[in-house]
Amino acid sequence: MENVLNILLVEDEETDADLLIRFLKKEIDLSYLRVWDRDIFIKALEENEYDLIIADQVLPQFSGIEAFRISKTKNIPFILITGSVSEALLTEYAKEGIDDYLLKNNLLRLPSAIKNVISKKKIEQLYQKLKIVNKDIKNSINYAKIIQEAMLPEESVLHTNFPGSFIFYKPKDILSGDFYWFKKVEDVFSIAVADCTGHGIPGALLSMMGFNILYEAVATKKIVQPSEVLDRLNKQVRRILKHGATTLNDGMDIALCTIDLKNKNMMYAGANRPIFIEREKELIEFKPDKISIGGIDNKEIKFTNHSIPIRAGDRIFLFTDGYTDQFSGKTNKKITMKRLREVLVHSADLSFEEQMDFIINFFENWKDNEEQTDDVLLMCIQIP
């Protein structure tokens, strides 16, 4: 034992108490107070803190079991010493929750019993503290989830402008590093799907930062071309995270589209995230620039802008890599981009609601009992 052990000894026989203390002092550094009166015992508990209580089972005024019941709320390790033990007493000790008991003819075991019960109690106390800390952390994360979800745009806005649309959004943890964003400015509707570095809390912090930068670029600065928005997003992320001046290289992959329904034209720019257009059962892929927002050595990067004519009935798919990277619970293989293409083509004849169900069911069936690999986000916009 590293520190002096403060013991409350409940023993009415002075000779027995002296023998016990002299024996323990050979093994353990200790201080002690001996009591045998019930009221003095209660007063001792109120006035001092003790690391351990050792109590004789038979006392003139009360029993060792009563002493344990009185001290139970203090959560002090408790060892009971008894002359004999029956099956009924063992049952009673277990029911009461006494830490340990010893027979008077086996006191050689007392030092190891003391170390054992104190270690167990410390582990129990640590466990209780960890439970409280864990509860506080979970409460904070759950509240952060409410804040994160409140920042996401309302899907009703998307459905108002694109009645044929859906979002499959499934965070791996409580918080997500994936986010979707859309905003209508005059006749142009901007839509983004992004995958931030990591998931959980780090990813969520980056997602909120990206969300705000997109809003500033499109709604405040009125930037229309997706490539220019991504250029600005890249510079802002690098500036805020001090890339080049610190070891941080976090960022995000993103697909950003601006849709002009009046002129039937869409512009797209991507940082490591492609888009698909499903048209007449065929899937057309538009590839991104192969670099992340805020990535290493991309300070001077200029993103490519794609101008794409669109038609009524076109279904535009924006997605992060969480869907394609999901492992199977049966084969341990990923879905892959190839299988996603097959899923989209196979479900092309379905209504957008049926297609959403098909995409989700395929994912869940593929995952089976496997843990979710990453945050999942897939969005479909059908041109009216």
Side-chain angles (χ1 to χ4, degrees):
M1 311 291 286
E2 294 181 0
N3 301 317
V4 175
L5 197 68
N6 192 18
I7 297 175
L8 181 58
L9 177 61
V10 188
E11 171 62 71
D12 62 313
E13 292 289 341
E14 187 172 353
T15 303
D16 288 350
D18 286 344
L19 287 171
L20 182 65
I21 292 300
R22 268 190 284 166
F23 171 66
L24 285 178
K25 281 186 174 179
K26 294 178 182 179
E27 303 286 336
I28 298 169
D29 291 331
L30 61 88
S31 63
Y32 76 98
L33 173 67
R34 183 172 76 91
V35 299
W36 60 92
D37 179 88
R38 186 178 189 278
D39 292 337
I40 296 175
F41 174 71
I42 293 172
K43 185 178 179 183
L45 288 174
E46 291 172 347
E47 292 181 348
N48 294 289
E49 293 184 0
Y50 295 93
D51 301 308
L52 175 68
I53 298 172
I54 301 175
D56 194 352
Q57 165 64 356
V58 182
L59 298 161
Q61 291 188 353
F62 69 132
S63 67
I65 286 286
E66 288 179 88
F68 175 72
R69 290 169 183 161
I70 292 168
S71 66
K72 199 169 184 179
T73 56
K74 299 284 187 179
N75 202 29
I76 303 170
F78 193 102
I79 296 176
L80 189 67
I81 296 178
T82 180
S84 62
V85 62
S86 65
E87 188 174 333
L89 271 177
L90 283 175
T91 302
E92 186 177 4
Y93 295 167
K95 184 178 178 182
E96 293 285 348
I98 287 175
D99 295 289
D100 204 350
Y101 72 92
L102 276 84
L103 294 174
K104 286 188 176 181
N105 61 6
N106 191 26
L107 292 182
L108 288 174
R109 195 174 73 83
L110 185 56
S112 63
I114 289 172
K115 293 176 183 180
N116 183 50
V117 298
I118 288 178
S119 296
K120 282 169 62 179
K121 192 64 69 173
K122 285 182 177 178
I123 291 171
E124 181 184 339
Q125 290 170 349
L126 179 60
Y127 172 71
Q128 294 302 324
K129 288 180 181 177
L130 288 174
K131 277 180 69 176
I132 294 170
V133 171
N134 185 55
K135 183 180 178 182
D136 289 342
I137 291 172
K138 279 192 173 181
N139 287 341
S140 295
I141 292 173
N142 284 325
Y143 192 74
K145 178 186 178 184
I146 294 172
I147 295 172
Q148 185 182 44
E149 289 180 347
M151 290 189 68
L152 293 172
E154 294 183 12
E155 287 189 46
S156 59
V157 176
L158 184 68
H159 298 321
T160 298
N161 290 271
F162 301 94
S165 59
F166 65 80
I167 300 172
F168 177 32
Y169 177 59
K170 187 174 184 180
K172 171 180 167 58
D173 300 316
I174 297 172
L175 296 172
S176 178
D178 287 4
F179 71 93
Y180 56 88
W181 177 89
F182 39 81
K183 179 70 177 175
K184 187 176 183 181
V185 179
E186 297 176 354
D187 293 327
V188 176
F189 202 89
S190 297
I191 305 169
V193 160
D195 179 1
C196 299
T197 304
H199 44 79
I201 295 175
L205 289 172
L206 284 171
S207 74
M208 294 176 79
M209 179 177 67
F211 191 98
N212 287 327
I213 296 171
L214 285 173
Y215 184 88
E216 178 197 30
V218 175
T220 305
K221 300 294 183 181
K222 308 293 184 186
I223 301 174
V224 175
Q225 286 206 350
S227 58
E228 292 182 19
V229 174
L230 295 194
D231 289 343
R232 182 176 181 82
L233 180 62
N234 183 54
K235 289 176 182 177
Q236 292 285 72
V237 168
R238 291 183 61 83
R239 178 184 64 81
I240 293 169
L241 296 182
K242 299 180 176 63
H243 283 185
T246 68
T247 57
L248 286 175
N249 285 307
D250 298 294
M252 65 191 73
D253 297 337
I254 184 170
L256 174 64
C257 298
T258 57
I259 300 174
D260 184 348
L261 291 177
K262 183 179 178 181
N263 296 303
K264 286 291 187 285
N265 188 70
M266 179 176 74
M267 289 187 290
Y268 153 74
N272 270 338
R273 296 314 310 152
I275 64 166
F276 293 151
I277 296 181
E278 191 177 80
R279 178 181 296 163
E280 297 176 356
K281 299 183 184 181
E282 290 188 3
L283 212 59
I284 308 165
E285 180 176 356
F286 293 88
K287 296 184 180 294
D289 291 298
K290 291 293 184 181
I291 195 160
S292 293
I293 297 293
I296 301 172
D297 300 327
N298 69 345
K299 184 177 179 181
E300 304 301 325
I301 189 71
K302 294 292 182 183
F303 286 92
T304 306
N305 204 65
H306 302 264
S307 182
I308 307 164
I310 52 177
R311 307 175 189 172
D314 284 353
R315 289 181 183 176
I316 301 157
F317 292 90
L318 301 86
F319 50 93
T320 61
D321 61 2
Y323 192 102
T324 55
D325 283 351
Q326 180 58 49
F327 284 96
S328 167
K330 298 183 178 111
T331 65
N332 200 36
K333 292 181 179 179
K334 291 183 179 182
I335 290 178
T336 71
M337 192 74 80
K338 178 184 177 182
R339 284 194 183 88
L340 175 58
R341 291 189 187 97
E342 292 171 354
V343 167
L344 297 182
V345 171
H346 186 73
S347 59
D349 283 339
L350 302 176
S351 68
F352 65 89
E353 294 98 340
E354 292 171 331
Q355 187 175 43
M356 178 180 70
D357 291 340
F358 187 90
I359 291 168
I360 293 172
N361 289 335
F362 181 88
F363 178 86
E364 296 297 345
N365 290 333
W366 183 273
K367 182 170 77 71
D368 194 38
N369 59 357
E370 183 71 19
E371 181 182 354
Q372 187 171 326
T373 307
D374 197 358
D375 298 320
V376 174
L377 175 56
L378 185 147
M379 181 188 293
C380 173
I381 306 293
Q382 182 169 286
I383 303 300

